[in-house]
Amino acid sequence: MGKDVIVACDFASAEQVFSFLDKFQDEKPFVKIGMELFYAEGPEIVRQIKARGHKIFLDLKLHDIPNTVKKSMAVLSRLDVDMTNLHAAGTISMMEAAIEGLTRPDGTRPMLIAVTQLTSTDQERMTNDLLINRPIDEVVMHYAHNAKVAGLDGVVCSPLEAGKVHATCGDNFCTVTPGVRFADGDVGDQKRVMTPAQAKEIGSDYIVVGRPITAAADPVAAYRRCVSEFCD
Ligand code: C5P
């Protein structure tokens, strides 16, 4: 499985994202495009970043009835993204429909990963707001297992959960982990963090890194530091 650093390009406009990507002359980072940029700029932003030679993780977290998700995934697949995602809470049928929609006539498709429980959802909110009484770790692993049963490629999870996801779903089921910070960097609003080196140690397959790279004085140097700690 390709270990890689995915740069979360949480920018509000095409202008901002291109001025950031222009700093990279010698490498083409794997880029995550989230809802803010996608809703601001539309699908053209995906085509433009792709045309510059970057791989793209389109982070839109789909969650709807299976038929709608299937048709929407077919549209995203035609955009030629490399990875996209959905909420495992949409059920196994929704995830299976998503795979169908994503699969191109030649049998290829982008990687599809599931969000289990958002890291903003803690045990108390899950119990009180969602009326899910089981321990959150068990729910996360159950949703990861459902994603595997539906044929997905992996889950987004905290680096702290990556080892357990692999133990539950196998080493080939990939873990994409945000919440990464340098040992000497700002934690910001992330609560449970790991360094790129620790994420590698615990078995993350991809790390998603935003502000430690995008807000760095030298983003290219910060990206290279992530790659050397995580991939080498
Ligand atoms: O700037 P930072 O490194 O915190 O960015 C992390 C990225 O990963 C953001 O795009 C954030 O939305 C995303 N993410 C996260 N935690 C999750 C899921 C996604 O931080 N559980």
Side-chain angles (χ1 to χ4, degrees):
M1 188 150 355
K3 287 230 175 240
D4 211 343
V5 174
I6 303 179
V7 182
C9 286
D10 294 322
F11 296 105
S13 69
E15 197 188 343
Q16 287 171 23
V17 75
F18 289 133
S19 99
F20 170 74
L21 292 176
D22 282 345
K23 299 184 201 304
F24 293 84
Q25 295 299 323
D26 299 328
E27 50 258 292
K28 295 282 180 195
F30 201 137
V31 161
K32 179 169 91 73
I33 300 175
M35 290 187 226
E36 183 187 13
L37 186 60
F38 188 79
Y39 293 150
E41 300 290 348
E44 195 51 30
I45 192 71
V46 176
R47 294 189 192 98
Q48 287 175 352
I49 296 177
K50 191 80 198 174
R52 287 173 166 234
H54 297 270
K55 284 188 170 177
I56 293 179
F57 168 20
L58 189 56
D59 178 16
L60 299 181
K61 301 187 180 70
L62 275 68
H63 188 176
D64 208 316
I65 59 169
N67 186 53
T68 301
V69 168
K70 177 177 164 182
K71 290 182 171 175
S72 307
M73 285 294 185
V75 175
L76 301 186
S77 191
R78 288 195 289 274
L79 276 179
D80 202 21
V81 298
D82 298 279
M83 183 187 287
T84 191
N85 61 358
L86 47 61
H87 277 282
T91 76
I92 293 175
S93 339
M94 188 202 79
M95 291 191 272
E96 287 171 344
I99 296 268
E100 261 184 68
L102 271 186
T103 306
R104 306 182 182 106
D106 66 1
T108 64
R109 64 167 173 80
M111 286 181 73
L112 182 61
I113 58 171
V115 174
T116 55
Q117 285 290 342
L118 292 168
T119 42
S120 50
T121 306
D122 57 13
Q123 181 75 50
E124 190 187 337
R125 288 183 184 140
M126 205 184 66
T127 309
N128 297 338
D129 296 3
L130 307 180
L131 289 184
I132 301 173
N133 286 314
R134 309 288 273 264
I136 193 158
D137 282 1
E138 191 185 326
V139 175
V140 166
M141 293 310 146
H142 181 65
Y143 283 20
H145 183 255
N146 285 353
K148 185 179 161 72
V149 167
L152 270 69
D153 304 294
V155 285
V156 187
C157 62
S158 138
L160 298 150
E161 293 162 351
K164 201 163 173 199
V165 168
H166 281 139
T168 308
C169 299
D171 283 341
N172 291 330
F173 192 69
C174 86
T175 50
V176 180
T177 62
V180 174
R181 292 294 180 264
F182 292 121
D184 50 3
D186 266 353
V187 172
D189 55 359
Q190 294 281 13
K191 300 234 171 344
R192 301 182 302 150
V193 298
M194 270 194 186
T195 66
Q198 289 167 330
K200 175 185 181 179
E201 189 66 36
I202 206 156
S204 295
D205 298 297
Y206 294 87
I207 50 173
V208 176
V209 188
R211 288 158 292 178
I213 295 174
T214 56
D218 183 345
V220 176
Y223 172 74
R224 288 184 182 151
R225 182 176 171 193
C226 277
V227 170
S228 74
E229 280 192 31
F230 183 67
C231 304
D232 297 344

